[in-house]
Amino acid sequence: MTSSIRVRFAPSPTGYLHIGGARTALFNWLFARKYGGVFILRIEDTDRERSTPEAVATILDGLRWLGLDWDEGPYFQSERLAEHRRLAEQLLARGHAYKSYETKEELDALRRAAETAKTAFVFRGREHSPEEEAELDAQGRPYVIRFRVPRTEGAVTFYDLVHGEQTKRYADIEDFALLRSDGSPLYILSNAADDIAERVTHVIRGQDGLANTPKQVLIYQALGVPSPTFAHLPLILDGKRAKLSKRKHGEAATVRFYQERGFIPDAFLNAIALIGWSPGDNREILSRDEMIAAFDFAQVSRTNGIFNLPPADQPLADPRQFTDPKALWMNAEYLKTMPLDRLLPLVQEQLEAAGLWQSTFAEGAGRAWLIRTVEVIRERFRTLTDFTTYGRPYFDDSFAFDPEAVRKHLRDARLTDWLPELADVLEQVADWKPETVEAALRAFAEAKGAKAGLFINAARVALTGQSVGPSMFEVFALIGRERSCARLRAIREQAAMGATASLPVG
RNA sequence: GCCGCUAUGGUGUAACUGGUUAACACGCCGCCCUCUCACGGCGGAGAGUACGGGUUCGAGCCCCGUUAGCGGUACCA
């Protein structure tokens, strides 16, 4: 391998950047970065009906969010149609292709006949003499330009870095079309033509490209240019082994969804990298650099992997389990362990978007408080959006009460008086920190002849609206004396209102 | 129908060129910790490697067949 390696990611802008596409882009990128190669972005927008500028923007956004930076492009395939046509003409002139006048109806009939006869259908069009062609053209008969697959006994052979040497006999390859009757090129041609133009050395794409690779190799050979090396990646399927699609899985199949749901780009990348690839040892948490260093096609699996998306047509049993459990675990792992200076900007984005950011967080004491808070609460979060949902009570006085938590921990009627009393006691605590608050609360509990747990759990609900969270004394310390006491006293109104609001889901 | 790719616990993967009781992670269950939940720690259930043959002293790894999934068989990409 040398530094002359050139790879490309070539999505069609007909929808969103989906998980499979992101993984393909990632492997291209890893390979390029590992060997000092060039990563090219090409937009295959020849299907004008379905291609949209919005889809292009979505794909670029997705790649940028993931940090998969490209070195060249984006090139737009639609701008090179004339060149593709020229190549087809060249193939025609050199006898590697021919004009095929069969109509769609004729082809269908042939196919159906083969079907009923249960025989193979490998199409070979009828070729005509120059005179006949002139005659047909004079009549204005439409034709497609079809590749003439060698009629000899031979076979096409190519090397795939994942699947090894592949061979397909000429006899099993039909004479495929290069140009439609309106002169527009087909994918199989355009794709190969652009790979040639961009001097792509390694074609790394989904396994669904494997079956028509022999046809492209035939094109390379006819054009007299060396074939690139191929690497066909296993597909990513859902739990029912169906291809991931927006139609079936909704937004959960798109990269944007993970961005909006608070995934950390590195974590998302790490998670999808492990579908169809492994570093070969037991490591699972790998930084970009570690992935680059460990990447190797020899360790790429040949079997399609499953990304366990919950069914899109059913409500989630647990809203926190909105996607593949392992991906979620991966994200939580990153959230808990990544350096704070890299997490903080991401948290800031979330807070700003939710209107919870305050200028005091930028420096000094406010900064210190923010850091301390994030450190404590990230421990049990799984996504960045948790900071503004479950984390909201730390940043704002208006937050929702989980009815279940209220029912469970504020049920004891005596708390309506006791909590405000506790506030009076806490008001007097000399040095506001976890230890002193704990001492005061425990003494208070003892004086009331009740268990400390009663007050701890009730306070958690009063201060955060939730029944779960960090060590309660830590929470008191973070929320501060004033706000803590105010929330303890507000228990009366809370009790009066019946507290039915529920937490937004993350 | 024909051509091709694939097949290890529920999921993702590991198992050097065939060599001890198939490993790790997620998920699940239990215990510990404990003011809750999570984290963490400890332990457990769960595959004999799709199925059937064959080669071999020995096969998840090699060969053949079957089945299943996927892809191609388009003037889709």
Side-chain angles (χ1 to χ4, degrees):
Chain A
M1 312 268 178
T2 69
S3 61
S4 61
I5 281 174
R6 295 171 62 82
V7 298
R8 73 347 186 238
F9 174 52
S12 295
T14 54
Y16 290 74
L17 178 61
H18 55 89
I19 295 172
R23 209 268 318 256
T24 299
L26 170 64
F27 283 17
N28 272 282
W29 183 84
L30 288 174
F31 188 68
R33 292 294 169 264
K34 172 155 188 169
Y35 295 107
V38 174
F39 177 46
I40 301 163
L41 177 60
R42 174 165 82 228
I43 305 296
E44 303 213 330
D45 57 344
T46 52
D47 188 338
R48 286 174 225 138
E49 300 282 296
R50 297 194 295 154
S51 299
T52 65
E54 292 73 35
V56 174
T58 305
I59 289 167
L60 300 194
D61 280 353
L63 292 175
R64 283 196 197 103
W65 177 66
L66 290 169
L68 300 180
D69 53 322
W70 55 95
D71 307 303
E72 282 184 28
Y75 297 127
F76 290 86
Q77 190 161 67
S78 59
E79 292 171 6
R80 298 210 282 232
L81 264 25
E83 170 66 9
H84 302 162
R85 209 167 302 145
R86 197 185 63 75
L87 243 30
E89 300 292 347
Q90 183 182 325
L91 255 12
L92 183 63
R94 290 188 193 166
H96 290 297
Y98 60 93
K99 293 181 178 178
S100 179
Y101 297 86
E102 285 82 2
T103 63
K104 211 159 167 75
E105 293 68 41
E106 286 177 273
L107 288 176
D108 285 346
L110 286 170
R111 235 187 310 273
R112 271 196 301 272
E115 195 89 20
T116 46
K118 293 197 185 303
T119 57
F121 180 67
V122 178
F123 182 71
R124 299 263 105 105
R126 181 159 154 236
E127 298 187 46
H128 301 272
S129 66
E131 294 74 30
E132 290 170 330
E133 278 188 7
E135 169 66 22
L136 260 6
D137 289 346
Q139 291 171 17
R141 286 277 295 275
Y143 61 84
V144 300
I145 292 185
R146 221 172 257 293
F147 192 90
R148 177 190 286 118
V149 176
R151 313 271 120 124
T152 57
E153 273 301 293
V156 182
T157 297
F158 63 94
Y159 191 74
D160 188 285
L161 290 171
V162 176
H163 295 275
E165 187 166 289
Q166 303 290 308
T167 301
K168 187 149 186 167
R169 295 179 307 158
Y170 293 146
D172 293 324
I173 306 172
E174 71 281 358
D175 283 358
F176 52 97
L178 260 18
L179 244 46
R180 297 186 182 85
S181 51
D182 67 359
S184 62
L186 283 124
Y187 161 81
I188 204 114
L189 201 221
S190 294
N191 182 258
D194 283 352
D195 283 338
I196 293 170
E198 289 159 16
R199 308 191 320 284
V200 169
T201 58
H202 298 258
V203 172
I204 303 166
R205 64 187 8 164
Q207 207 176 67
D208 37 0
L210 189 59
N212 50 37
T213 300
K215 296 173 191 169
Q216 296 191 312
V217 171
L218 246 17
I219 293 175
Y220 286 111
Q221 291 174 348
L223 253 18
V225 299
S227 297
T229 300
F230 295 90
H232 286 92
L233 276 16
L235 268 18
I236 298 179
L237 310 172
D238 72 3
K240 284 182 285 202
R241 301 189 182 275
K243 268 171 120 172
L244 259 33
S245 69
K246 201 169 166 205
R247 173 141 187 84
K248 277 207 196 83
H249 309 95
E251 295 292 330
T254 71
V255 169
R256 173 172 284 179
F257 177 78
Y258 294 87
Q259 182 177 359
E260 287 169 353
R261 288 305 195 101
F263 261 70
I264 294 157
D266 285 30
F268 184 75
L269 242 28
N270 196 158
I272 61 174
L274 260 24
I275 302 177
W277 174 74
S278 119
D281 47 38
N282 279 336
R283 288 136 81 212
E284 297 222 294
I285 304 286
L286 296 122
S287 67
R288 281 162 198 270
D289 288 343
E290 287 168 333
M291 282 197 269
I292 291 169
F295 189 74
D296 183 358
F297 281 112
Q299 286 296 132
V300 171
S301 162
R302 268 146 285 138
T303 16
N304 294 161
I306 290 172
F307 192 73
N308 257 314
L309 289 173
D313 50 356
Q314 290 168 34
L316 293 170
D318 176 358
R320 300 190 80 186
Q321 293 288 342
F322 62 87
T323 188
D324 185 87
K326 191 151 185 177
L328 241 12
W329 165 80
M330 183 73 75
N331 200 55
E333 202 63 24
Y334 270 74
L335 209 53
K336 278 181 293 204
T337 59
M338 72 192 285
L340 269 175
D341 60 337
R342 287 205 310 162
L343 175 61
L344 252 19
L346 300 176
V347 173
Q348 178 172 350
E349 264 178 50
Q350 296 288 327
L351 293 177
E352 283 175 343
L356 297 174
W357 178 258
Q358 290 169 37
S359 54
T360 53
F361 292 162
E363 52 185 19
R367 186 76 180 170
W369 177 83
L370 176 69
I371 288 173
R372 180 75 195 124
T373 301
V374 168
E375 246 173 356
V376 170
I377 65 182
R378 72 164 168 171
E379 199 59 40
R380 57 213 73 205
F381 286 172
R382 318 175 69 144
T383 62
L384 293 169
T385 54
D386 287 344
F387 283 98
T388 58
T389 54
Y390 299 99
R392 188 177 179 98
Y394 297 88
F395 304 103
D396 198 89
D397 288 328
S398 89
F399 54 87
F401 281 77
D402 173 12
E404 189 65 35
V406 172
R407 201 173 315 133
K408 198 169 167 196
H409 297 296
L410 295 181
R411 194 178 35 196
D412 194 324
R414 295 173 297 177
L415 288 167
T416 313
D417 291 323
W418 281 357
L419 255 24
E421 276 181 55
L422 175 60
D424 294 341
V425 169
L426 295 182
E427 203 97 78
Q428 305 306 317
V429 170
D431 182 17
W432 188 262
K433 58 183 186 184
E435 302 76 54
T436 53
V437 174
E438 172 159 17
L441 184 144
R442 287 189 188 282
F444 179 78
E446 196 162 343
K448 292 294 178 193
K451 283 172 142 184
L454 174 69
F455 295 101
I456 291 170
N457 288 320
R460 180 160 16 246
V461 179
L463 265 62
T464 70
Q466 300 158 52
S467 61
V468 303
S471 162
M472 199 47 213
F473 303 110
E474 201 62 64
V475 175
F476 272 116
L478 290 173
I479 290 184
R481 188 202 304 266
E482 261 183 57
R483 291 197 297 167
S484 295
C485 292
R487 290 178 192 182
L488 287 176
R489 289 185 179 119
I491 188 64
R492 290 209 164 97
E493 300 140 44
Q494 197 57 53
M497 288 188 343
T500 48
S502 59
L503 264 185
V505 293

